[in-house]
Amino acid sequence: MSPNLFASPAIPAEISDPVNARILAVSEDRIAGFVEEPFAAIAAAVGLSESVVIERLQAMLSAEVVRRIRQTLMATNLAPGALVAWRVEADKLDSAFNYMVKDDPFSGHVVIRSTDADTPGSVYRLWTTLKVPQGFSMQRHCEFLAAAVGAETFRIMPAKRLFALGVGHLRRRGMEPGSRSEEPGRVLDMNIVELSPIEWRVLTALKREFTVDEITPNPWRGRAGDAGLPLDEFIRIARSLSEREVIGRFSTFLEHVKPSSAGERVTRYNALFHWRVPPGREIEAGKEIGRHHILTHAYWREGGPEFANVNVMAVAHGTDKQLVLDHKAAIDKHLDEAGIPVSYTNVFWGGRSEIKPSEISPDEYQAWANRVGLSTEVEMGRRETSHRETGQREMEQP
């Protein structure tokens, strides 16, 4: 990263600094939806001036302690998505990992996982999250990737329901196993929302990562210009998208995989938990699992026979492996006390990993497909029909 003209070397950039820790405890995942003045909202929540919040975030982004700052989207409502497990021979694993990171804009989290023992699915070492924009085929996309990386096979696992979603790694440090809310986890449906061309323009401008010099008061003014809209119109459309639950949160993403220049780590262990509960009780189990504060994600996904027919999954992070397992044990105990039988469970540990936002624009997908030679002829026909129908509905609205 180029030197930052705004953040002085004297400004602390490590997460252990008390002021930075206060800011990050809010800025990671507590600013929900679209906010016109996000840095002012963070400042108000932590009791600091906006200028202090801005200078600290500038310093942390420059030092790469913060990996990115951006407005997140509820991508599950904008593009069909799935967790994909890939069976790749050991000698091809690293090259396959690199391809998913560098050459597929639609793969987000890319992780090499392992288990503590040989278990169903342990031969599936490469895991990715994938978003394929509306009107295109996820199956065809995965077949293309499998051929490109030499994967033997793959398992696509769309989320049927979502029960927990929120990062907050710093906030979860020191959390006691079993810490959970009084209320059940939320149940979020995976409903795809169709957008007009002008809404896509606003969304594209909203979701781009902030550079250091964009961390200022009134940060959306420049993005409105990028979208070719007056600021008040840009904000009106952004608020409308937020009301339709297309917008996620305004978030700072910590570098939680690699140590900082000072050797600090946000987290060390990344665990993907699997449970098999009786068919028909997935939502009930998910609501109980989703109560637990340690979880960054929890969802109903069908693992199929490759993964012993597990149907509820969740993700937790921590700096101590045994503590992560203690959290898992507390969740298992709670499920037992709630009368929800678990006939199989497993843990997949994350190793090498990279995280990047998945591209979700249909136009970007078509451009990429053209570059790599992936035929989308059938899918394009569906997409054009969908856009015509969307336009007609918009014209019929008063």
Side-chain angles (χ1 to χ4, degrees), residues 168-202:
H169 295 300
L170 208 62
R171 178 166 49 81
R172 288 177 169 86
R173 278 188 164 190
M175 187 175 286
E176 290 294 322
S179 174
R180 60 181 183 265
S181 65
E182 293 295 325
E183 298 298 321
R186 294 179 63 194
V187 181
L188 299 178
D189 292 328
M190 306 292 103
N191 297 320
I192 300 297
V193 176
E194 293 184 344
L195 303 182
S196 68
I198 193 171
E199 288 172 329
W200 273 114
R201 276 164 55 198
V202 170

Side-chain angles (χ1 to χ4, degrees), residues 88-333:
V88 182
E89 293 179 1
D91 61 347
K92 298 179 181 177
L93 194 56
D94 284 335
S95 62
F97 178 98
N98 293 335
Y99 184 94
M100 300 295 192
V101 171
K102 297 176 182 177
D103 296 312
D104 183 24
F106 309 94
S107 291
H109 292 50
V110 183
V111 186
I112 294 177
R113 293 192 178 275
S114 61
T115 54
D116 289 332
D118 288 336
T119 60
S122 61
V123 292
Y124 287 78
R125 297 289 314 282
L126 182 63
W127 294 69
T128 63
T129 56
L130 177 64
K131 295 285 188 298
V132 173
Q134 299 174 39
F136 299 97
S137 168
M138 183 171 293
Q139 178 69 27
R140 184 177 293 185
H141 189 95
C142 287
E143 289 169 356
F144 174 86
L145 293 181
V149 304
E152 297 175 17
T153 188
F154 55 86
R155 172 76 188 187
I156 301 174
M157 295 169 278
K160 294 190 171 185
R161 296 291 190 280
L162 183 67
F163 308 111
L165 179 63
V167 187
H169 295 300
L170 208 62
R171 178 166 49 81
R172 288 177 169 86
R173 278 188 164 190
M175 187 175 286
E176 290 294 322
S179 174
R180 60 181 183 265
S181 65
E182 293 295 325
E183 298 298 321
R186 294 179 63 194
V187 181
L188 299 178
D189 292 328
M190 306 292 103
N191 297 320
I192 300 297
V193 176
E194 293 184 344
L195 303 182
S196 68
I198 193 171
E199 288 172 329
W200 273 114
R201 276 164 55 198
V202 170
L203 206 65
T204 300
L206 277 173
K207 71 184 181 68
R208 195 175 70 246
E209 295 176 22
F210 277 74
T211 60
V212 173
D213 59 343
E214 288 181 308
I215 305 174
T216 62
N218 197 7
W220 301 120
R221 184 176 299 279
R223 300 298 175 88
D226 295 342
L229 293 170
L231 179 60
D232 58 349
E233 178 68 1
F234 181 90
I235 288 173
R236 183 192 68 79
I237 294 172
R239 285 175 174 162
S240 171
L241 292 170
S242 191
E243 289 167 1
R244 293 166 66 188
E245 297 186 338
V246 169
I247 303 295
R249 60 188 184 274
F250 188 86
S251 185
T252 59
F253 291 83
L254 289 169
E255 177 49 75
H256 66 271
V257 176
K258 306 177 185 73
S260 71
S261 58
E264 286 191 329
R265 284 184 180 270
V266 174
T267 186
R268 185 180 295 271
Y269 295 96
N270 162 3
L272 174 64
F273 301 150
H274 283 187
W275 294 274
R276 183 174 68 219
V277 303
R281 302 190 71 179
E282 295 92 348
I283 292 178
E284 181 187 359
K287 289 166 69 175
E288 295 305 321
I289 289 168
R291 292 178 186 267
H292 290 79
H293 298 142
I294 193 63
L295 300 176
T296 58
H297 302 75
Y299 23 52
W300 172 8
R301 297 187 191 272
E302 296 288 345
E306 297 92 336
F307 296 97
N309 294 306
V310 299
N311 44 17
V312 183
M313 303 182 186
V315 177
H317 299 259
T319 55
D320 180 85
K321 184 175 182 179
Q322 185 56 53
L323 184 58
V324 173
L325 289 172
D326 291 345
H327 280 286
K328 167 72 164 49
I331 298 172
D332 293 344
K333 183 172 183 288

Side-chain angles (χ1 to χ4, degrees), residues 58-86:
Q58 287 176 341
M60 286 188 279
L61 186 60
S62 292
E64 300 182 350
V65 171
V66 166
R67 188 172 69 249
R68 62 176 61 96
I69 298 174
R70 63 183 291 261
Q71 178 71 62
T72 70
L73 311 178
M74 289 300 292
T76 50
N77 292 342
L78 291 167
L83 181 66
V84 186
W86 306 86

Side-chain angles (χ1 to χ4, degrees), residues 370-383:
N370 291 343
R371 288 196 303 273
V372 301
L374 174 61
S375 171
T376 61
E377 182 178 354
V378 174
E379 289 75 28
M380 274 299 294
R382 295 195 193 107
R383 180 187 161 203

